[in-house]
C-alpha cells in the first residue's frame, strides 16, 4: 500500500519541479555556459559560436515578447537575447527570474542615427525617459540569437 503512495508523491514532486521551469525551443546546453561579463569584455572571441548564458531577466519586450535583457551581476551591463517575432514569445512575467539561453552571438553595427533610434525605442518600450543628444557615437550591439531558452523561478 505504501509503494503506490510513494510513487504518487514522487510523480507529484517531479511535476512540481518541472513546472517551475519554462522552456522555449530545444534543450539548453549548460555545458557551454559562458559568463556574460566575458562575452561583453571580448565579444570577438565568441562571434558566430554556440554559447549559453545565464542571467536575471531585467526586461522583456512588452509588445511581442521577442527579446529579453539579462543581468549577470550587479553593476554590470545587461545582455540581450533576441528572436524573430513569433519564433519564441517570452512572457513579461519572466522579469525577475533566472534565464539560461543557448544560441549564437551576433554583432549588430549601427550608425549614429540608428543608435539613437534604437536607444529611443528601447527607452519607450520600458517607459523610460531618453535624450537622443546624449548619444554621441555609434554603437555595436551584441546579442544572442537563441535556439533554446529556459526560465526558472
Amino acid at each position: 500500500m505504501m509503494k503506490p503512495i510513494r510513487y504518487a508523491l514522487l510523480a507529484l514532486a517531479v511535476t512540481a519541479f518541472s513546472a517551475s521551469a519554462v522552456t522555449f525551443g530545444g534543450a539548453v546546453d549548460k555545458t557551454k555556459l559562458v559568463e556574460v561579463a566575458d562575452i561583453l569584455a571580448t565579444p570577438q572571441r565568441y562571434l558566430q559560436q554556440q554559447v549559453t548564458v545565464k542571467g536575471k531577466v531585467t526586461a522583456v519586450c512588452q509588445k511581442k515578447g521577442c527579446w529579453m535583457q539579462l543581468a549577470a551581476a550587479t553593476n554590470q551591463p545587461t545582455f540581450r537575447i533576441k528572436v524573430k517575432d513569433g519564433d519564441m514569445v517570452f512572457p513579461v512575467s519572466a522579469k525577475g527570474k533566472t534565464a539560461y539561453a543557448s544560441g549564437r552571438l551576433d554583432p549588430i553595427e549601427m550608425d549614429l542615427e540608428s543608435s539613437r533610434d534604437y536607444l529611443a525605442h528601447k527607452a519607450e518600450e520600458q517607459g523610460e525617459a531618453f535624450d537622443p543628444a546624449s548619444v554621441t557615437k555609434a554603437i555595436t550591439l551584441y546579442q544572442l540569437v537563441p535556439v533554446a531558452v529556459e526560465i526558472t523561478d
Side-chain angles (χ1 to χ4, degrees):
M1 184 77 167
M2 289 301 286
K3 280 189 179 182
I5 292 172
R6 285 185 195 156
Y7 290 129
L9 289 173
L10 180 61
L12 184 61
V14 168
T15 302
F17 178 77
S18 62
S20 67
V22 178
T23 59
F24 301 88
V28 170
D29 186 354
K30 293 180 183 174
T31 64
K32 294 187 177 184
L33 193 61
V34 177
E35 295 293 327
V36 169
D38 293 341
I39 291 174
L40 294 175
T42 56
Q44 301 299 331
R45 180 176 171 197
Y46 299 100
L47 289 179
Q48 304 302 320
Q49 291 184 35
Q50 291 290 320
V51 297
T52 298
V53 295
K54 173 188 174 187
K56 182 178 179 184
V57 179
T58 59
V60 178
C61 173
Q62 296 186 18
K63 293 184 180 180
K64 296 185 181 180
C66 61
W67 59 262
M68 290 191 300
Q69 276 310 111
L70 302 181
T74 306
N75 299 324
Q76 287 193 358
T78 57
F79 188 72
R80 179 174 142 130
I81 64 170
K82 169 78 171 97
V83 296
K84 285 196 299 185
D85 293 352
D87 281 0
M88 297 177 192
V89 180
F90 305 122
V92 176
S93 62
K95 194 171 179 180
K97 296 182 179 179
T98 299
Y100 293 86
S102 294
R104 183 188 72 240
L105 183 66
D106 282 347
I108 301 172
E109 295 181 17
M110 299 183 168
D111 61 22
L112 182 58
E113 190 61 34
S114 296
S115 298
R116 288 179 177 153
D117 290 345
Y118 166 76
L119 294 170
H121 176 72
K122 185 176 164 188
E124 179 185 351
E125 282 188 330
Q126 297 305 310
E128 299 169 351
F130 176 74
D131 177 12
S134 67
V135 180
T136 58
K137 58 190 234 188
I139 61 173
T140 298
L141 296 177
Y142 295 95
Q143 67 183 15
L144 190 78
V145 179
V147 294
V149 175
E150 179 182 315
I151 300 170
T152 62
D153 288 332

